[in-house]
Amino acid sequence: MLCTGALVLFGAAGSVSADHDADLLERGKGIAVAQERIVAATSGIETLPSESDAKRWLTAATSASTTVTEVQNTFLENTGPLDLSGVPLDYQEPTGRTVVYTEQERMVLAQEMREEKIGGLDRRLLSFFSTQDTDGSGFNAASDWLLGLDTAKDPIAGTLRWSAPEVGSFDQHGTSTIVWELRGVDGSLAAWATATFDHATVKMTGLVLHEAAPTDGEPR
Amino acid sequence: MSTTTRTPSSRARTALRWGPLGLATLLVCGGGLALLSAGAGVDDDRAQVAALVSAREDDAVAAEQEFADTWTSVHDAVSPVPAEREAADSEAGAWLLAMLSEGQDSASALSTEHGVDEMSATLLIAAFTGHGGSLESFTAVGTTPEDAIAVDEALSYSAAFTVGTDAGLLTYTTDEDSRITAATVTWSDGAPERS
C-alpha cells in the first residue's frame, strides 16, 4: 500500500514538473512573439527611404499615376462616333490633280487615325501593371478601363475624363494608394479605380474598378 | 528475573519484518519530497518568465515606436501633409462611415459629432438607406497641396470603402481639426472589375 502511495507521489511529482515546464514554455512564447516584432521593426527601419529617396518615390509614383491617367484619357478621347473634323477633305495626286475624299474614305481614314493614336497604349500601361493577374472576366489593368464599364455604351463616354491627385504620401510598408475618378463635364462621378503603388518595384498592383450606381432619375 | 537475549536469527526476522515497511516509508517520504519540490517555486518561475516577457514586449514597443518615429520623420520631410493630420482625417472618415453603416439616423447627431452640416448629413443618411453592415475596409487618399499645408487649411479626400458586401466612394473635406465639413457617398453598381 505504501509502495503504491509512493509511486503515486512520484508520478504526481513528475506530472506537476512536466505541466510546469509546459506552462512556462507557453508563457514564454510571448518572448518569441516580441522578438519577431523587434526584428520586424528593426528591419523596417533599415528599409525606410532617406529623404531624398522618399522624394524620388513620390515623384516616380506621381509620374506613373499621371501616365496612366493620360493613357486612359487618350482611350476616352478615341471612344464613340468617329470624329471627321481632323480628317482632310481631299488630297493631291503626284500629277497635281486634287482628289476629293468620299465620306466613306474619310471614315476609313478617321478609323486609321484613331487606331494610330491608341496603338501601343497598352504597352505603355504594361510598364506599370502586370497582365498576369486578371479576374474571371479577364479584366486587364493594362488596357482601356472603359471596356470594363457599362458607361462605355453611353454616348457621352467620350466626354468623361479620368483624374488622380498627385501622390503626396506613402505608408509604413513603402506603398501608396492611388484613386482615379472618372467624371463627366458636370462633375458627376461615373466610376473610380484604386490600385496600390509599390515604391520598391515601381509597379501598381490590385487594380479594382468600380462603376458608380446610377442615381435616381438619372438613366445610364 | 528473566533476560531476553536476541539471537542473530531473531534480528534477521525483525529486519525482515520492519525493513520493507521502513523502505516503503522512505519511498513515500521521497515521493512527498519530490512532489513538494516539483510544486515549489512554480510562482517564482512564472514571475521570472512574466518579467522576461514583459521586458521583451517593452523592447518591442520601443522598437516599433522608433520605427514609427523614423517613418514619420521621413514622411513629414517630403509630404506636404503631416502624417498626424492624415491619420486624424482618415480616422474621421472611417468613423463617419462606421456611424452611417450602423444605422445612424439623426442628422443633428452626425452634425454634432463630425461638424457635417445638417443638409449634408441628411443626404449621407439617405444615401446609406439599404446599405447596412459593418465597415469592412476604408482607404482614404487625400489631394496633395503644392506646398506644406497651413494649420487652418482644409483638405479633400477620396476614400474607397466596403460596407458588408457593398462598395462605395466617399469624398469628403476636413478642416484643421479633422472635422468633416462636407461629404458625399457614391455606391458601386454591381461587382467590380479586378486585375
Side-chain angles (χ1 to χ4, degrees):
Chain A
M1 180 73 106
L2 281 172
C3 283
T4 309
L7 284 173
V8 167
L9 285 171
F10 274 113
S15 174
V16 165
S17 183
D19 286 352
H20 180 48
D21 288 349
D23 178 49
L24 291 181
L25 275 175
E26 186 62 33
R27 288 168 188 266
K29 279 182 182 171
I31 295 173
V33 172
Q35 186 61 34
E36 284 173 14
R37 288 168 57 195
I38 291 167
V39 169
T42 308
S43 61
I45 289 175
E46 288 166 6
T47 57
L48 284 176
S50 63
E51 283 185 26
S52 56
D53 284 344
K55 276 181 192 163
R56 276 196 289 275
W57 275 16
L58 298 181
T59 304
T62 297
S63 172
S65 165
T66 303
T67 301
V68 171
T69 305
E70 286 172 355
V71 167
Q72 292 300 333
N73 281 333
T74 305
F75 278 127
L76 281 169
E77 288 159 10
N78 291 282
T79 297
L82 290 168
D83 178 15
L84 298 182
S85 60
V87 181
L89 293 166
D90 52 35
Y91 71 101
Q92 213 164 31
E93 286 186 332
T95 58
R97 190 169 70 97
T98 301
V99 178
V100 177
Y101 283 121
T102 64
E103 186 75 4
Q104 194 175 0
E105 286 172 331
R106 292 188 72 214
M107 292 290 279
V108 171
L109 276 173
Q111 183 62 37
E112 286 174 0
M113 288 166 70
R114 171 173 285 187
E115 285 168 6
E116 195 176 321
K117 281 180 187 168
I118 62 173
L121 291 183
D122 290 358
R123 282 197 298 280
R124 283 186 72 189
L125 291 176
L126 271 177
S127 308
F128 307 111
F129 292 105
S130 165
T131 56
Q132 302 303 313
D133 304 321
T134 57
D135 69 0
S137 68
F139 175 70
N140 179 5
S143 67
D144 181 359
W145 296 346
L146 195 67
L147 299 177
L149 302 172
D150 287 340
T151 308
K153 299 166 194 153
D154 197 315
I156 64 150
T159 65
L160 300 171
R161 286 294 172 268
W162 287 102
S163 65
E166 281 188 20
V167 179
S169 183
F170 59 91
D171 62 20
Q172 295 183 352
H173 306 292
T175 62
S176 297
T177 301
I178 299 173
V179 176
W180 289 270
E181 293 178 6
L182 179 65
R183 291 186 181 273
V185 288
D186 61 351
S188 58
L189 184 66
W192 67 91
T194 58
T196 302
F197 185 87
D198 187 327
H199 295 281
T201 61
V202 198
K203 288 268 186 187
M204 298 183 203
T205 57
L207 185 96
V208 182
L209 180 63
H210 285 279
E211 183 149 32
T215 52
D216 291 341
E218 187 183 300
R220 186 170 300 288
Chain B
M1 189 172 180
S2 67
T3 304
T4 305
T5 306
R6 290 193 176 226
T7 60
S9 60
S10 75
R11 281 200 202 99
R13 276 199 299 276
T14 304
L16 282 171
R17 183 182 298 164
W18 294 105
L21 185 63
L23 185 63
T25 306
L26 278 173
L27 282 171
V28 168
C29 289
L33 280 173
L35 186 57
L36 279 174
S37 169
V42 166
D43 289 340
D44 287 346
D45 289 349
R46 284 177 179 165
Q48 277 186 2
V49 171
L52 285 171
V53 171
S54 177
R56 217 64 189 127
E57 282 176 345
D58 288 347
D59 291 344
V61 169
E64 286 167 347
Q65 187 59 51
E66 187 185 354
F67 170 69
D69 291 345
T70 310
W71 172 79
T72 303
S73 169
V74 177
H75 176 279
D76 289 0
V78 297
S79 176
V81 182
E84 190 180 1
R85 170 75 184 270
E86 277 186 350
D89 287 354
S90 181
E91 196 177 321
W95 210 75
L96 173 73
L97 284 178
M99 293 285 284
L100 289 165
S101 63
E102 286 165 13
Q104 171 74 45
D105 58 1
S106 164
S108 59
L110 209 54
S111 303
T112 308
E113 292 287 345
H114 297 286
V116 184
D117 67 84
E118 288 211 18
M119 178 70 82
S120 298
T122 304
L123 291 172
L124 281 172
I125 290 166
F128 262 78
T129 303
H131 297 277
S134 61
L135 180 63
E136 306 287 341
S137 69
F138 179 87
T139 308
V141 174
T143 53
T144 304
E146 285 187 13
D147 302 308
I149 59 164
V151 176
D152 60 350
E153 195 162 344
L155 286 171
S156 296
Y157 291 84
S158 294
F161 66 90
T162 308
V163 169
T165 55
D166 297 335
L169 188 77
L170 170 75
T171 54
Y172 66 104
T173 305
T174 59
D175 65 11
E176 72 273 22
D177 294 323
S178 294
R179 285 165 62 83
I180 295 171
T181 52
T184 58
V185 166
T186 306
W187 291 99
S188 174
D189 188 17
E193 300 279 5
R194 294 176 187 277
S195 178

